[in-house]
Amino acid sequence: MALDNVTNEPLWYVIHTYSGYENKVKASLEKVIENRGMQDYFFEIIIPMLEEVEIKDGREKSVIKKIFPGYVLVKMILTDDTWYVVRNIRGVTAFIGQGNQPTPLTEQEVAMLGVDRTQAVVDYEIGDSVRIMSGPLENFTGTVESINVEKAQVKVRVSMFGRDISAELEYSQIQRIF
């Protein structure tokens, strides 16, 4: 099969899978890529997930759910060979696109999905003492309680007026105290 929209730059494509096969498709694709030495053509394979907090019987429970059940996103360079590899993974039904022509996601679609984010590297971890550099709690010190990588936020426990409060802050709003 000859593809019309072959490029030399990696783009995001959407693969439709049988429902419940997303993890199997991802694992199988990663294995085939490694076995065939195609790492230069495939850059990232993700199943968009969302963490939700459910409250049952008065208890909070964190649950991770698939945002788009039945779909896997792949950042790859599209060639006849890469198309063939993906299409022949067990559980894959099709690429999303016109007929047999996969359609890459637009930059706006990628931005809306948040799949091409760069993750900030922070020099603090849970339990570290930090100083708040900006915002209403500027110049207060506190302790890092949790780090939410997806939201690029940190929860910091601050002692204020004899009481401990928790504040959700952006990565850039705090600095580790050495």
Side-chain angles (χ1 to χ4, degrees):
M1 137 134 214
L3 298 170
D4 295 337
N5 54 353
V6 174
T7 67
N8 285 335
E9 82 177 79
L11 298 171
W12 284 99
Y13 294 91
V14 181
I15 302 169
H16 187 261
T17 68
Y18 292 124
S19 187
Y21 273 70
E22 302 89 354
N23 293 328
K24 292 175 187 169
V25 166
K26 181 180 181 201
S28 296
L29 187 53
E30 288 170 343
K31 194 172 190 176
V32 169
I33 292 166
E34 186 179 327
N35 290 343
R36 294 190 180 190
M38 299 182 83
Q39 295 89 339
D40 293 342
Y41 294 94
F42 291 89
F43 296 86
E44 204 170 345
I45 304 166
I46 63 169
I47 303 165
M49 306 287 239
L50 177 66
E51 184 176 2
E52 291 183 348
V53 177
E54 294 180 349
I55 300 174
K56 286 187 178 177
D57 301 325
R59 293 185 178 172
E60 284 187 5
K61 182 181 177 186
S62 182
V63 177
I64 297 179
K65 295 184 175 181
K66 294 179 179 105
I67 297 174
F68 306 112
Y71 294 94
V72 176
L73 303 178
V74 180
K75 186 174 187 176
M76 61 185 247
I77 296 173
L78 184 65
T79 67
D80 287 338
D81 292 335
T82 58
W83 178 90
Y84 180 82
V85 164
V86 172
R87 282 291 291 126
N88 287 288
I89 296 293
R90 185 170 182 208
V92 171
T93 59
F95 273 100
I96 301 302
Q98 297 290 334
N100 282 334
Q101 297 293 322
T103 303
L105 294 174
T106 64
E107 287 182 30
Q108 292 82 7
E109 291 167 330
V110 171
M112 284 184 352
L113 291 172
V115 295
D116 233 2
R117 294 189 298 249
T118 54
Q119 293 187 355
V121 177
V122 294
D123 68 342
Y124 44 80
E125 51 191 49
I126 295 171
D128 284 350
S129 293
V130 294
R131 178 176 310 284
I132 300 172
M133 305 304 291
S134 65
L137 299 174
E138 186 173 350
N139 293 325
F140 277 86
T141 58
T143 305
V144 176
E145 288 185 313
S146 66
I147 300 172
N148 186 330
V149 177
E150 287 80 28
K151 292 183 179 179
Q153 292 183 334
V154 180
K155 188 181 279 188
V156 177
R157 186 177 65 247
V158 179
S159 183
M160 179 184 267
F161 307 118
R163 294 181 53 187
D164 281 352
I165 63 164
S166 289
E168 295 245 339
L169 303 166
E170 303 293 321
Y171 283 168
S172 60
Q173 288 183 276
I174 65 173
Q175 183 177 37
R176 183 174 172 203
I177 300 173
F178 291 97

